Amino acid sequence: MTKMADTFQLEIVTPEKMVVKESAEEAQIPGKQGYLGILPGHAPLITELAVGEITYRAGGATHHLAVAWGFAEVLPDKVTILAETAERPQEIDVKRAEQAKAKAEELLKTGKTEEDFTKAEGQLQRAETRLAVAKESDK
């Protein structure tokens, strides 16, 4: 019987840069159907990412990132996340996120079409996620 690995390679990439490349003990990622908990040896899968927070543990420390849209490929020894955006807490412009939240809330009140509401809900969710992750840098 082979021994299970204690870690897996985690890579989080945006169109601009490699955001994370390290060995992780576990991760939680926002899939379209809800959050996925990933441990070493996870069954292979591909999922679409939702707007949300990625948390992962590496070297005993827990890390947080705000992500929006993309895909994740999970293999037993490697997780690759291709995200449109991925931000660490210290990279988040809180003032801008608060402005985006207010703008989205206003659009929810004044929207005329279903498209307006769908767009506003997505913007609101992204702004709230960014604000929640930004708070992690205060801890």
Side-chain angles (χ1 to χ4, degrees):
M1 188 164 134
T2 57
K3 183 182 176 300
M4 286 284 288
D6 295 334
T7 63
F8 56 87
Q9 182 68 25
L10 176 64
E11 294 182 2
I12 303 174
V13 183
T14 67
E16 291 80 36
K17 65 183 178 189
M18 172 78 72
V19 180
V20 172
K21 183 175 185 172
E22 63 183 303
S23 290
E25 291 102 44
E26 66 177 278
Q28 288 79 37
I29 59 175
K32 269 288 194 224
Q33 308 301 318
Y35 275 82
L36 297 157
I38 311 294
L39 294 170
H42 195 287
L45 69 88
I46 292 179
T47 186
E48 197 174 340
L49 286 181
V51 172
E53 180 178 353
I54 291 177
T55 57
Y56 69 94
R57 213 176 52 183
T62 301
H63 305 274
H64 303 263
L65 290 101
V67 295
W69 312 292
F71 295 91
E73 178 188 43
V74 177
L75 298 171
D77 60 350
K78 185 175 182 182
V79 175
T80 305
I81 296 171
L82 306 172
E84 194 169 307
T85 65
E87 298 170 288
R88 295 178 183 277
Q90 63 274 20
E91 297 169 339
I92 295 171
D93 182 337
V94 173
K95 193 174 205 69
R96 206 173 114 224
E98 287 170 345
Q99 289 168 346
K101 181 180 177 190
K103 190 174 160 188
E105 287 170 338
E106 186 59 31
L107 185 57
L108 276 174
K109 291 179 200 162
T110 62
K112 308 267 186 284
T113 66
E114 192 173 326
E115 190 177 306
D116 287 344
F117 290 111
T118 302
K119 182 179 176 186
E121 285 172 344
Q123 290 171 343
L124 182 60
Q125 186 179 9
R126 180 161 183 234
E128 288 175 339
T129 298
R130 292 178 77 227
L131 290 168
V133 171
K135 284 188 175 103
E136 291 298 329
S137 68
D138 299 337
K139 291 184 178 173

